[in-house]
Amino acid sequence: MTASAKDRVLIFDTTLRDGEQCPGATMGLAEKLQVAELLDAMGVDIIEAGFPIASNGDFEAVAEIARRTQNAVVAGLARAISADIARAGEAVKQARRGRIHTFVSTSPIHLEHQMRKSEEEVLAIVHDTVTQARNLVDDVEWSGMDATRTPIDYLCRCVEVAIKAGATTINLPDTVGYATPDEYRAMFRAVRERVPNADKAIFSVHCHNDLGLAVANSIAGVEGGARQVECTLNGIGERAGNAALEEIVMALKVRGDVLPYETGVKSEMITRASRLVSAVTSFPVQYNKAIVGRNAFAHESGIHQDGMLKNNTTYEIMTPESVGVSKTSLVMGKHSGRNAFRDKLKTLGYSLSDNQIQDAFVRFKELADRKKEIFDEDIESLVDENLAGARDRMKVLSLLVVAGTIKEQIATLTLEIDGAQRTVQSNGNGPVDATFNAIKALAPHEAVLELYQVHAVTAGTDAQAEVSVRLMHDGRTFTGKGADPDTLVASAKAYLSALNKLLARGERLHAQAAE
Ligand code: KIV
Ligand code: ZN
C-alpha cells in the first residue's frame, strides 16, 4: 500500500498532563519544556501541556509551551467549569495553534455518585462549556469522561450537543480501562453513524491500560473511525497508565499492511524521547517494554542468535534503527575533545544550550577519568541526570563509605544544601543504609523509602550503576534516579533527586498559599 492510500491519524500526546498524573511523575517547568520541545520536533500533532487551573506552575508551563511550540497544536485541559475554561483559554492564547480541551463525565456511575446531576443537567453543561470555550478559541476538544460505560443513546445525544456548540474534536475515553477492542470499535462506529453532525468533528481515542488493552483498544477505535489517538511516552499515566505513543506509532508503521493509517511521528526519535521522559520523571522503563525496553532488541537464546546472524528478519519485525536505537558503540574516551562531544550529543538527539553542553562536558571528563570505555548510554544517562536535576537544592559533593565484613558500615557524606557545604558521618545496617542515614541526618524528613532498585547502564564490572528510589510522603510518591560508576554514589544521588522533588513541591504549595 502506498503512503497516500493511508489515512492520517493525529497523535495527541498527553505525557505532560495525563502522564504527569501518574503517582510520583511530577515534572518541573524546565523538564516540561524539554519534553515539549522534543515532542514538537518529533512530529507529534497535539501536545496536551497541562491543566492550567490546577496550579500556577501548571498554568505557567502550558503558557510557556504555547509560546515556544513551533508546529504542534498546544492544548490545555479544563473541567466543565467556567473558571477552568477561562484559565485554559488564557494559557493557550499565545500559541500559534491553541486548543481548549474540556471534559465532563457522561456515565450513570459518575453522574449518580460523583457529580450528582441528571442527564439533562449534564447536557446543558456540555452545551454551555463548549460554547464558552469556542468563544475563546477556534479549536475545541470535548471529552465524555467514562464514555465506555455510558449508554450509547445518551452518549450520542452528548456528542451531538457538543458538536452543535462548536467542538471540533470529540474524544470518547475509556477512562477506567474497561473496554475490549470489539466494544470500543463498535462504540465509535455507532456514534459516528447515529450522530447527525458527526462528520463535522474529528473523533479521538483515549485509553487507559487497567486490563493491558490500551493500545489494542486505541487501534480498534481507529478502525471504528477515530482519527486522533491520545497517548503518552512510555505509557505513563493514571493507575496502569495510558496507551503508549511508541507502541501505537510503531504498530501502525510496522503493520501498515493490515492497518492502513499513518502518523506524522519521526519514529527514529522515539528512543530519545522515551529516555528523556524516564529521566525527568525518574520512572524506569520496564526492561521488556515493547519498542523502548532495553531488551526490546536483545536476542538471548542460541537459536535466535543463530537466526539473527544469518538474517535479522528471522527474529526482528522492525530494525532498532527505525526507533532510534543505535548499535551500542564505544564512543569516546578521556582524550575526546569538546567538538567531538558536541557532535555526539547532536547524534544522540540532544539540542542543548552552550552552558548545558559545557556542564555535560565537565561531567563527561570526570566520568572518563573513572571509566575506561564510554558508551552512548553513559553519555545519555549523564546528560539526562543533569537535565533532571538542574535546579536541585541539594547535591552530593563527596561520599566515603566504609563497607565489608571487618567493621560496621559508616558513611561520611558532604552535601551542598542551598549553596552551603555540610558534612556528617552515619552508620547503618549495610553501606546503602549508612548512606541514606547520612542524608537523613543532613536533611531531616518524614518521607518513607518505598522502593530502591539498581541496574547497570552498560555491560562490564566498571559499568555505571543506575539507581531508582521512590519516597512516600503525605500520601504522594516522589521518584528519583541517579547514575555513577560507584553504586553508593548513584544511590545517594537518586535519594537526593527524590528528596529535591519533594522539597520543590513543598515550595510550590507554599508559594501558592502565600498568593
Ligand atoms: O481518562 C480520561 O477520561 C481523561 C479525560 C480528562 C480526557 O483523561
Ligand atoms: Zn485519561
Side-chain angles (χ1 to χ4, degrees), residues 240-484:
N242 289 59
L245 178 149
E246 61 276 10
E247 295 177 24
I248 303 275
V249 168
M250 290 316 287
L252 298 187
K253 186 164 176 167
V254 173
R255 295 310 313 272
D257 55 334
V258 286
L259 299 168
Y261 314 102
E262 61 182 359
T263 73
V265 171
K266 298 178 184 109
S267 65
E268 300 76 17
M269 295 178 75
I270 279 178
T271 298
R272 169 84 278 278
S274 158
R275 288 192 182 149
L276 177 65
V277 168
S278 172
V280 298
T281 57
S282 304
F283 253 66
V285 176
Q286 158 197 341
Y287 285 4
N288 60 336
K289 165 86 182 58
I291 319 292
V292 291
R294 64 190 311 197
N295 289 354
F297 296 96
H299 303 275
E300 183 76 15
S301 88
I303 297 175
H304 288 211
Q305 286 178 349
D306 174 61
M308 285 296 291
L309 287 172
K310 290 172 177 150
N311 187 313
N312 56 5
T313 59
T314 50
Y315 292 99
E316 262 176 15
I317 57 166
M318 60 196 136
T319 63
E321 291 77 15
S322 67
V323 297
V325 177
S326 52
K327 297 257 173 299
T328 297
S329 55
L330 181 59
V331 284
M332 303 163 130
K334 67 177 179 188
H335 301 298
S336 308
R338 199 182 308 263
N339 283 343
F341 183 69
R342 191 186 285 268
D343 269 5
K344 188 74 208 174
L345 290 177
K346 235 195 214 152
T347 331
L348 292 174
Y350 290 97
S351 69
L352 302 181
S353 68
D354 285 347
N355 277 349
Q356 287 171 322
I357 294 177
Q358 177 55 23
D359 269 6
F361 187 64
V362 170
R363 285 156 57 86
F364 159 71
K365 283 289 184 183
E366 283 166 10
L367 184 63
D369 273 340
R370 301 162 67 197
K371 189 172 186 288
K372 239 186 9 231
E373 300 174 322
I374 306 247
F375 296 89
D376 287 355
E377 292 90 330
D378 290 313
I379 295 195
E380 282 165 348
S381 85
L382 77 82
V383 176
D384 289 344
E385 190 182 275
N386 227 24
L387 292 177
R391 288 164 304 113
D392 285 351
R393 282 178 54 188
M394 298 187 286
K395 287 193 174 72
V396 179
L397 290 185
S398 70
L399 175 67
L400 175 71
V401 184
V402 178
T405 55
I406 312 295
K407 276 175 115 183
E408 67 171 343
Q409 289 77 32
I410 299 171
T412 308
L413 175 70
T414 302
L415 294 185
E416 184 186 295
I417 305 180
D418 294 332
Q421 278 193 25
R422 297 187 52 205
T423 302
V424 80
Q425 198 170 69
S426 297
N427 53 14
N429 192 9
V432 177
D433 194 43
T435 304
F436 288 179
N437 285 342
I439 294 177
K440 276 184 217 148
L442 288 176
H445 56 272
E446 304 281 298
V448 177
L449 178 67
E450 276 209 319
L451 173 123
Y452 170 76
Q453 224 171 45
V454 186
H455 81 260
V457 174
T458 56
T461 50
D462 72 341
Q464 289 201 88
E466 193 168 73
V467 175
S468 303
V469 156
R470 192 165 72 214
L471 299 178
M472 169 70 90
H473 180 70
D474 263 357
R476 290 188 75 96
T477 55
F478 298 86
T479 47
K481 246 180 170 182
D484 197 273

Side-chain angles (χ1 to χ4, degrees), residues 70-304:
Q70 301 294 316
N71 305 307
V73 172
V74 176
L77 186 70
R79 288 167 300 181
I81 295 175
S82 176
D84 276 42
I85 294 170
R87 194 82 172 133
E90 185 65 23
V92 300
K93 82 170 179 223
Q94 287 188 46
R96 286 168 196 235
R97 299 159 71 205
R99 171 180 296 188
I100 296 176
H101 174 193
T102 182
F103 69 98
V104 69
S105 290
T106 52
S107 71
I109 298 180
H110 283 212
L111 262 57
E112 183 186 339
H113 300 293
Q114 194 177 13
M115 300 182 63
R116 304 215 165 88
K117 296 225 182 290
S118 69
E119 289 190 345
E120 297 311 310
E121 284 172 315
V122 170
L123 277 172
I125 291 173
V126 173
H127 173 267
D128 294 350
T129 50
V130 173
T131 304
Q132 182 194 352
R134 196 50 214 265
N135 283 332
L136 297 172
V137 289
D138 288 339
D139 186 343
V140 173
E141 173 168 335
W142 175 79
S143 288
M145 187 144 98
D146 207 15
T148 49
R149 293 192 298 170
T150 302
I152 196 76
D153 289 346
Y154 182 61
L155 189 61
C156 287
R157 287 178 70 202
C158 290
V159 169
E160 187 177 349
V161 168
I163 297 175
K164 241 190 218 144
T168 42
T169 301
I170 297 291
N171 181 37
L172 302 178
D174 186 25
T175 304
V176 290
Y178 181 71
T180 65
D182 281 349
E183 286 171 350
Y184 204 52
R185 187 188 299 105
M187 181 188 78
F188 278 93
R189 283 196 177 135
V191 174
R192 291 183 61 248
E193 264 165 36
R194 289 164 57 168
V195 171
N197 51 4
D199 60 323
K200 307 256 178 331
I202 291 177
F203 280 78
S204 170
V205 297
H206 177 116
C207 298
H208 282 268
N209 207 27
D210 300 66
L211 293 173
L213 292 173
V215 170
N217 282 341
S218 301
I219 290 173
V222 169
E223 289 172 330
R227 289 294 176 268
Q228 174 180 288
V229 176
E230 304 199 354
C231 46
T232 60
L233 282 159
N234 299 338
I236 63 169
E238 284 274 355
R239 307 181 309 278
N242 289 59
L245 178 149
E246 61 276 10
E247 295 177 24
I248 303 275
V249 168
M250 290 316 287
L252 298 187
K253 186 164 176 167
V254 173
R255 295 310 313 272
D257 55 334
V258 286
L259 299 168
Y261 314 102
E262 61 182 359
T263 73
V265 171
K266 298 178 184 109
S267 65
E268 300 76 17
M269 295 178 75
I270 279 178
T271 298
R272 169 84 278 278
S274 158
R275 288 192 182 149
L276 177 65
V277 168
S278 172
V280 298
T281 57
S282 304
F283 253 66
V285 176
Q286 158 197 341
Y287 285 4
N288 60 336
K289 165 86 182 58
I291 319 292
V292 291
R294 64 190 311 197
N295 289 354
F297 296 96
H299 303 275
E300 183 76 15
S301 88
I303 297 175
H304 288 211

Side-chain angles (χ1 to χ4, degrees), residues 54-57 504-515:
S55 70
N56 293 339
R505 179 177 155 75
E507 277 162 20
R508 277 201 304 276
L509 292 179
H510 203 72
Q512 256 173 267
E515 271 175 31

